[in-house]
Amino acid sequence: MAKDKRTAFFISDGTGLTVEAIGHSLLAQFQDQHVEQVTLPYIDSTEKVQQALQRIEKAARESGLQPIIITSIVSDKIRDQLHQSPALMLDIFENYLTPLANLFGRDPAQTVNVSHGIADNRRYSERIDAVHFAIDNDDGRRISEFEQADVILLGVSRSGKTPTCLYLALQFGLRAANYPITEEDMDSTTLPKILRPYRQKLFGLTIKPERLMQIRQERRANSRYASKEQCEFEVRQVEQMLRRAQVPFLNATQLSVEELATRLMSQAGIERRID
Amino acid sequence: MAKDKRTAFFISDGTGLTVEAIGHSLLAQFQDQHVEQVTLPYIDSTEKVQQALQRIEKAARESGLQPIIITSIVSDKIRDQLHQSPALMLDIFENYLTPLANLFGRDPAQTVNVSHGIADNRRYSERIDAVHFAIDNDDGRRISEFEQADVILLGVSRSGKTPTCLYLALQFGLRAANYPITEEDMDSTTLPKILRPYRQKLFGLTIKPERLMQIRQERRANSRYASKEQCEFEVRQVEQMLRRAQVPFLNATQLSVEELATRLMSQAGIERRID
């Protein structure tokens, strides 16, 4: 741990993904603070908590700054151990299970990882099938399956279609295909013929030409593909095409994959297939 | 909203993914309670909060049960509006920004979505490249790139390799390839030749034959591929192969994709490439 650098520990008895997400969104409100972030997943035994505590005390000692702990641990026993640390403790379960228990008139189950939907076969299959669908239907590879798609993303090459489709599949179990608008398609600003039957499923991604150029330069520096003129031309043509065909679209320039996926769903009114 | 069914609203000015994750893990501790779960993302204006409030009051009225709100809204103004609702309010930012502000001696930025790493080009590229890598190297498609892989997953068909690779790419920016152990490979229990140069990067996924059979039956009912004998044979051979070659492995039978990815990383000591 660096000296004079505070550490935030995200500690969970499961994957740690949730406390990590909470930590990121909270710390993002204090971006001038340089906080080292450490995720400690699967802290589900007395031994592991002891090791974690040693790491936390070390961080406190070496930095001279009070560490932060953001945690969601189900077991009271393990949680109590963790509370012996010198850190500022933000304990999700401690803060929120009690009000919920009062509301429901029940004690929490105190079973770890039930939240991960273990052996939830339907959810598993939906997810896996959606992922394979996204791969098979990436980059216009298999138009024959567009019939079964929940959504078909359109856009120029490198506008973020592929990661968005895969995120939609993994997170929401949606069957998302994507189709790259090629240069032939751009000769006109009418929708490519093969897409017309699926107009209701189409959703466009566009992007600022400067950003597109930047992304493409990283891949093929100084190519025509990555040139200012080409990027400007493609974006202009595709945006006209989307407007003419009245296909809804988002500008991906400043959005993360998570934002693209969730904004797309609310804008197009697409419901998730898995929780 | 169903009568006598309580509703939990996950309300955010961003994607809602974090409060949703918190909600799921909290409510999973009360599984006998049938709670309808509704995510309301991008609640970032007075108008949208008003609409949300109406929905919440409607749920309360129709069910006769107090709703639950789990929320992370940055703006004090919008958050205060939301607090007018009759729901049980679990407000992440309200509870945790104040202690952090005190610790840092700063007020929170109150800027929405900073947490999404907008225009974080490095992170964006790492992620996108990792996703394309996973697709190009799915199912042993392009062994030539194994050299660049952070990890290469091995296992029988349908053991969960592909979704795990894509999750590793999207969530952690890792370059994850996967190689299906084919029937020829199973004639012996030694590692396929082409994999031997990459032994240090190999990680196995195995699965209970009964579960594998179930998954395969859903795809090709009554096929040899999905038969009890075949599934048992393949799992036995692959597990022997992994043990002989001392390749670490996980049993995927009861694990979610998130768990497979995070356990694999800690077991193999693989560090994430993006936060």
Side-chain angles (χ1 to χ4, degrees), chain A residues 145-273:
Chain A
E145 287 185 357
F146 279 8
E147 198 53 59
Q148 304 148 46
D150 293 310
V151 60
I152 302 164
L153 291 190
L154 299 184
V156 299
S157 158
R158 290 287 144 176
S159 52
K161 301 182 300 297
T162 298
T164 305
C165 284
L166 283 155
Y167 190 83
L168 286 165
L170 275 166
Q171 184 69 27
F172 301 111
L174 290 167
R175 292 169 182 256
N178 73 81
Y179 180 89
I181 306 289
T182 61
E183 260 196 280
E184 308 84 82
D185 296 330
M186 289 182 208
D187 296 345
S188 106
T189 58
T190 59
L191 217 50
K193 260 199 187 53
I194 45 163
L195 294 178
R196 291 176 200 164
Y198 310 109
R199 186 187 247 105
Q200 297 315 316
K201 297 179 174 189
L202 300 179
F203 197 97
L205 290 189
T206 183
I207 183 169
K208 281 210 186 102
E210 307 70 46
R211 177 75 179 116
L212 181 62
M213 192 180 141
Q214 195 179 37
I215 295 167
R216 289 183 173 185
Q217 285 289 351
E218 282 174 24
R219 312 194 65 73
R220 296 195 221 151
N222 312 320
S223 63
R224 174 165 165 285
Y225 167 80
S227 69
K228 186 163 177 293
E229 300 63 35
Q230 184 63 19
C231 292
E232 285 173 348
F233 167 75
E234 291 188 20
V235 170
R236 190 173 56 243
Q237 289 299 93
V238 168
E239 287 187 358
Q240 281 183 25
M241 186 186 291
L242 294 169
R243 288 206 184 84
R244 272 187 66 174
Q246 295 175 312
V247 171
F249 63 94
L250 277 168
N251 189 312
T253 310
Q254 298 227 304
L255 299 177
S256 66
V257 172
E258 289 82 354
E259 289 172 307
L260 285 171
T262 50
R263 287 181 186 272
L264 175 159
M265 285 167 70
S266 41
Q267 202 170 315
I270 299 168
E271 292 292 324
R272 68 184 68 199
R273 290 188 181 274

Side-chain angles (χ1 to χ4, degrees), chain B residues 46-82:
Chain B
T46 314
E47 299 63 40
K48 290 185 185 168
V49 182
Q50 284 308 334
Q51 292 163 9
L53 284 168
Q54 285 165 18
R55 237 180 120 165
I56 295 157
E57 282 151 16
K58 188 161 177 287
R61 221 172 30 247
E62 294 182 357
S63 67
L65 295 166
Q66 183 184 27
I68 299 161
I69 291 179
I70 301 178
T71 183
S72 68
I73 285 181
V74 173
S75 146
D76 292 334
K77 185 158 164 291
I78 295 176
R79 195 194 299 144
D80 293 345
Q81 262 184 291
L82 194 59

Side-chain angles (χ1 to χ4, degrees), chain A residues 73-135:
Chain A
I73 285 180
V74 172
S75 147
D76 292 334
K77 186 157 162 294
I78 295 175
R79 196 194 299 144
D80 293 343
Q81 262 183 290
L82 194 60
H83 276 260
Q84 296 160 11
S85 91
L88 171 69
M89 187 72 63
L90 308 181
D91 187 328
I92 310 295
F93 275 19
E94 184 185 56
N95 293 145
Y96 295 137
L97 284 182
T98 311
L100 286 172
N102 295 337
L103 185 72
F104 293 134
R106 296 238 184 327
D107 287 336
Q110 295 222 15
T111 43
V112 178
N113 287 344
V114 278
S115 55
H116 298 305
I118 280 168
D120 177 344
N121 297 350
R122 189 198 64 82
R123 186 176 194 284
Y124 180 89
S125 310
E126 289 264 15
R127 232 183 154 176
I128 289 2
D129 293 348
V131 167
H132 286 284
F133 183 90
I135 293 175

Side-chain angles (χ1 to χ4, degrees), chain B residues 83-142:
Chain B
H83 276 261
Q84 296 161 11
S85 90
L88 172 69
M89 187 73 62
L90 308 182
D91 186 329
I92 312 293
F93 275 17
E94 184 185 56
N95 294 142
Y96 296 135
L97 283 182
T98 310
L100 286 172
N102 295 338
L103 185 72
F104 294 133
R106 296 241 184 321
D107 287 337
Q110 295 223 14
T111 43
V112 179
N113 289 343
V114 277
S115 55
H116 297 306
I118 280 168
D120 177 344
N121 296 350
R122 190 198 63 82
R123 185 176 194 282
Y124 180 89
S125 310
E126 290 265 14
R127 235 184 151 174
I128 291 354
D129 293 348
V131 167
H132 286 284
F133 183 90
I135 293 176
D136 295 341
N137 294 277
D138 182 47
D139 220 17
R141 213 177 264 156
R142 200 184 296 179

